């Protein structure tokens, strides 16, 4: 065996020994599993209005965008979606990418053009961490959700322009960042605040406008918002929203925008329809928060130290990676899909189940799923 193949085989054995092997499990179109693992928080991915909008765009534009945004990939559907997103998020402008991951890579790299220091929350998503790595700037990791810690880092580097990067609702544990306090720190020191609003968009803030809006920061010129369009909106793609000069800079220099094929117009049109539904989905948001509190109460009664989720993510500690895998597998065998998060997906090296609340799941199915999760617990 070639040396490099032997090296890969050795690494695979080491991952297996540590309980960190992962598997792809394709689901059929008629899959009947109760979904408490995906991110379709408002249950809009299969809403008839979303499907109709995507179908109509598919008939008009065809399957793909056929090029990058700056060549042939920008359509009037893309422009309409960007206008709707800017209006919803309360920003001057917005730019759509083909994924939230690519949007996060782009936003940190763009900030590096005007900042000479990047401060990243210790629990940030991998896409933000990778953005920091390619930024070409010194990166300081701040203690999780600690405005005082951020202030100390900034004060230790006087005269340097900084970008502070955080999530609004953190993707693994589901806790809420103290955005107002962080902004007070950054604005007093002339720093940018970059917020990944992926798990708050559609759930928090006025009309579901996100965690930044909920914190009263919508439209602040020194705040840049990113989000994925694949969670509460049930589609695919990403967005960066902020002041017009930020978007202008991204159009001119953003490598993951310039060199990537545009999102398919059918997906873009479907997401636009989902925004119109999400803005007025107070009943679905109420269902989501009621169900999140119910899950937390049930798990606490079973002895698990969980808190009511800030949005749609609830993290449940497991004794270790093998126990987390077994718990998730037992649930799946009984018709319930739950998330299983192990290193390196978990920032603190511990393992847990991640439950995501879906307001579109029928009540009887949700109640049964909750029973299954508790009964399968280690």
């Amino acid at each position: 065996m070639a040396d490099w193949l032997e090296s890969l085989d050795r690494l695979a054995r080491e991952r297996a020994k540590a309980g960190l092997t992962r598997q792809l499990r394709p689901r059929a179109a008629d899959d009947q599993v109760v979904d408490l693992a995906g991110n379709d928080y408002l249950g809009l991915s299969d809403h008839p209005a979303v499907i109709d909008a995507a179908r109509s765009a598919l008939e008009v534009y065809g399957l793909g965008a056929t090029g990058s945004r700056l060549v042939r990939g920008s359509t009037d559907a893309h422009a309409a979606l960007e206008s709707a997103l800017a209006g919803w998020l309360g920003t001057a402008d917005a730019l759509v990418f083909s994924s939230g991951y690519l949007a996060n890579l782009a936003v940190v790299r763009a900030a590096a053009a005007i900042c000479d220091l990047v401060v990243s929350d210790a629990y940030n998503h991998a896409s933000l961490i990778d953005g920091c790595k390619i930024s070409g700037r010194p990166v300081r990791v701040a203690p999780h959700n600690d405005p005082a810690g951020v202030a100390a880092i900034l004060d230790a580097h006087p005269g340097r322009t900084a970008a502070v990067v955080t999530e609004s609702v953190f993707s693994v544990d589901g806790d809420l960042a103290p955005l107002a306090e962080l902004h007070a720190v950054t604005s007093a020191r002339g720093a940018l605040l970059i917020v990944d609003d992926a798990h708050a968009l559609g759930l928090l803030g006025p009309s579901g406008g996100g965690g930044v809006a909920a914190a009263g920061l919508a439209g602040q010129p020194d705040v840049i918002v990113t989000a994925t369009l694949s969670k509460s909106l049930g589609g695919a793609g990403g967005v960066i929203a902020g002041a017009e000069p930020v978007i202008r800079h991204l159009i001119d220099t953003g490598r993951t925008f310039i060199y990537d094929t545009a999102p398919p117009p059918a997906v873009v049109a479907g997401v636009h329809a989902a925004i119109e539904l999400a803005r007025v989905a107070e009943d679905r948001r109420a269902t989501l928060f009621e169900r999140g509190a119910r899950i937390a109460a049930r798990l606490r009664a079973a002895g698990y130290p969980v808190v009511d989720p800030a949005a749609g993510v609830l993290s449940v500690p497991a004794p270790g990676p093998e126990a987390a895998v077994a718990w998730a597998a037992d649930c799946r065998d009984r018709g319930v899909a739950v998330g299983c998060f192990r290193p390196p997906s978990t920032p603190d090296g511990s393992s847990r189940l991640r439950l995501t609340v879906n307001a579109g799941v029928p009540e009887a199915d949700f109640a049964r799923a909750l029973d299954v999760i508790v009964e399968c617990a280690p």
Side-chain angles (χ1 to χ4, degrees):
M1 181 182 293
D3 289 347
W4 64 271
L5 287 173
E6 174 58 34
S7 295
L8 290 177
D9 190 53
R10 173 179 53 79
L11 291 171
R13 292 194 301 270
E14 291 173 358
R15 291 194 301 272
K17 185 177 180 180
L20 300 180
T21 298
R22 287 159 167 78
Q23 295 181 350
L24 290 172
R25 294 186 177 87
R27 60 182 173 92
D30 60 352
D31 177 55
Q32 298 299 309
V33 170
V34 181
D35 185 9
L36 295 184
N39 298 309
D40 187 16
Y41 296 123
L42 297 177
L44 297 179
S45 64
D46 60 354
H47 191 285
V50 172
I51 300 301
D52 286 347
R55 182 183 295 113
S56 296
L58 183 64
E59 292 172 351
V60 172
Y61 294 104
L63 180 60
T66 76
S68 68
R69 292 290 308 275
L70 292 174
V71 179
R72 288 282 292 170
S74 288
T75 68
D76 52 3
H78 292 81
L81 176 60
E82 286 165 343
S83 178
L85 283 164
W88 192 26
L89 295 168
T91 60
D93 210 346
L95 189 65
V96 166
F97 290 68
S98 60
S99 77
Y101 207 111
L102 294 181
N104 278 347
L105 294 181
V107 74
V108 183
R109 189 172 181 273
I114 55 173
C115 298
D116 51 15
L117 176 69
V118 180
V119 181
S120 177
D121 187 282
Y123 281 20
N124 272 343
H125 188 267
S127 57
L128 294 172
I129 295 171
D130 286 351
C132 292
K133 289 179 179 178
I134 67 171
S135 69
R137 300 299 188 190
V139 178
R140 301 290 181 268
V141 177
H144 178 53
N145 273 352
D146 185 357
V150 172
I153 292 173
L154 296 178
D155 290 343
H157 297 83
R160 305 184 79 167
T161 303
V164 175
V165 184
T166 186
E167 298 179 56
S168 55
V169 172
F170 283 83
S171 58
V172 175
D173 286 347
D175 53 332
L176 184 66
L179 294 181
E181 293 87 343
L182 283 171
H183 184 251
V185 168
T186 57
S187 61
R189 293 161 177 79
L192 283 174
L193 180 60
I194 298 172
V195 182
D196 180 351
D197 227 358
H199 290 274
L201 186 64
L203 304 183
L204 303 182
S207 301
V212 171
L217 303 178
Q220 291 291 327
D222 57 350
V223 178
I224 305 174
V225 184
T226 76
T228 177
L229 310 177
S230 62
K231 295 182 173 34
S232 289
L233 299 177
V239 62
I240 300 174
E244 190 278 334
V246 173
I247 304 306
R248 178 74 260 166
H249 180 74
L250 287 161
I251 292 172
D252 287 342
T253 69
R255 293 171 69 86
T256 59
F257 175 81
I258 296 170
Y259 298 105
D260 187 48
T261 299
V267 174
V268 167
V271 168
H272 193 170
I275 289 174
E276 300 309 310
L277 295 167
R279 293 184 74 131
V280 296
E282 301 305 331
D283 55 342
R284 292 183 183 236
R285 279 188 278 276
T287 296
L288 181 134
F289 285 109
E290 185 276 329
R291 286 181 172 180
R294 203 188 328 164
I295 293 175
R298 182 73 179 276
L299 288 167
R300 283 196 297 270
Y304 285 88
V306 298
V307 298
D308 289 2
V313 176
L314 193 142
S315 179
V316 189
E322 294 88 355
V325 170
W327 193 354
D330 289 345
C331 290
R332 185 173 59 252
D333 290 344
R334 293 182 58 180
V336 178
V338 298
C340 175
F341 277 52
R342 298 163 288 160
S345 298
T346 54
D348 57 3
S350 62
S351 297
R352 69 262 281 169
L353 290 195
R354 191 188 75 160
L355 310 179
T356 49
V357 187
N358 185 333
V361 170
E363 172 58 29
D365 289 343
F366 174 78
R368 179 175 66 82
L370 186 51
D371 288 339
V372 167
I373 291 167
V374 173
E375 290 165 4
C376 291

